Amino acid sequence: MESIWMKTYEGKRRPALTGITEADAVVVGAGMAGILTAWQLEQAGVRTIVLEAGRIGGGQTGNTTAKITAQHGMFCDAFIEKKGEETAGGYVRANQAAVEEYKRIVREEGIDCDLIETDAYVYSMDEECLRREMEAARRLGVDASYEEHVEIPVPCAGAVCFPHQAAFHPLKFMGALAEQLTVYEDSQVVEAEEHLVRTPEGSVRAGSVIFAVHFPFINFPGMYFARMHQERSYVLALEHAGRLNGMYIGSGKDSFSFRQYDQYLLFGGMSHRTGENRDGGCYERLKEAAAKLYPESSAAASWSAQDGVTIDEIPFIGRYASSQPDWYVAAGFRKWGMSSAMVSAMLIRDMVCGIENPYAGIFSPSRFSAEELPGLALEGGKAVQGLTKRFFNIPGETAAALERGRGAVAETPQGKAGVYKTEDGRIFQVQAVCPHMGCELAWNPDEGSWDCPCHGSRFDCEGNLLDGPAQEGIQL
Ligand code: FES
């Protein structure tokens, strides 16, 4: 299921890294965060190499809705409550600066990427909550307003508007920046050691190593697996659904996201923790909702994406771990990947160049206070559940009795295994054990994939790796 970005843009092929090379910095990952960080570093005179396991923008960036906004849902009031006004204000200002930086780069570099300036809205049924959010946003310096009428056909009491945000075609933008960079594709980093990273056929020695990899895959140091999980959500590109001027997100778990691109209305929702979609039906439910809201519409494309969520919902941007002072990380963007990627690029550029950045403390991966530690225990608890299932859960069905078109962890003649039976009766059997840290995988009927509930790694029915933090596939 290809996104409209992938359908409408073909990036230039890059070679894989071979041999030994050197640079001032090496960036691992060529998603939006990796490309932007490398570009900002190069602009600052830091010679940078980017290593990408697949293709540029081939991961989550190719599946984003590409809203560039500092409005991350209904969050201002809650962030002030949780983190205090200074931290919440810094978070908003860092993201607003990121929005402006996109506009500046597109303007000054003359990039043709369908960038539009537009307003961002968060809608809700709760008027009191909306009014509190607007007041909180204003206290944080945003020129926010309360709008009673919205242009989307959802029941709501109104929306809070952040003016002058933006949206674009992410792959066109990245492709233009990547033209100015040294990027190696099909170059998965298999080992990192101080200032040296290795790929299957080459290595880079660099003063700084930046992991812009969506979910940090080096477990020690850092232990990011204990303080992040991943969530998936689904998108339809609707035709014949009218035209929207603004971008919208609902508050609350079962709300929707709206954004116009060209003739398509991008309609998203059905979020869930990765690995917790055993019953499936996310695309169907989203299509039913679209049919109710836009009876004339039809879906020209559908796709899904996932993103990391940290325990306090603020991304991890900064030093990877105190024991590795020249390693940096950018992850946990909570589905606000465009603005967060630019925040990462500007912040890591400053850290590498020894420039003080006022937002460093807010995003620092080592920021947690004693009050936030219970969240760590919660993430750890989920992982323990996944491990416990692997060892103690007895499968409820057998491979022989499994219906066609279904997948499940089942009893087989070889013991417990992940079994998928196609509609025409072919059977794919895998070890349903995640190579990242050993949790039991669960079948995701919407994507036809084996997903890990612990930290969100994913594999296709033949065991090939789709998403990390795992770095290898599972055995067929
Ligand atoms: Fe960590 Fe599967 S992703 S155990």
Side-chain angles (χ1 to χ4, degrees), residues 434 436-439 452 454-457 469:
C434 181
H436 177 230
M437 295 183 78
C439 288
C452 181
C454 290
H455 316 108
S457 294

Side-chain angles (χ1 to χ4, degrees), residues 110-131:
I111 298 173
D112 179 9
C113 60
D114 309 326
L115 182 98
I116 53 161
E117 186 170 297
T118 180
D119 298 338
Y121 300 83
V122 57
Y123 69 86
S124 167
M125 288 292 282
D126 188 335
E127 182 177 342
E128 199 189 318
C129 200
L130 285 168
R131 294 208 180 270

Side-chain angles (χ1 to χ4, degrees), residues 37 40-41 44 101 344-354:
T37 303
Q40 293 283 4
L41 286 169
E101 181 71 350
S344 305
M346 295 162 83
L347 180 44
I348 291 173
R349 172 203 62 199
D350 287 352
M351 291 183 82
V352 169
C353 295

Side-chain angles (χ1 to χ4, degrees), residues 16-19 51-52 184 186-191 197-204:
L17 177 73
T18 54
L51 300 175
E52 164 57 44
Y184 295 97
D186 301 316
S187 300
Q188 183 183 13
V189 168
V190 290
E191 204 181 334
V197 295
R198 290 196 181 85
T199 66
E201 293 175 56
S203 63
V204 181

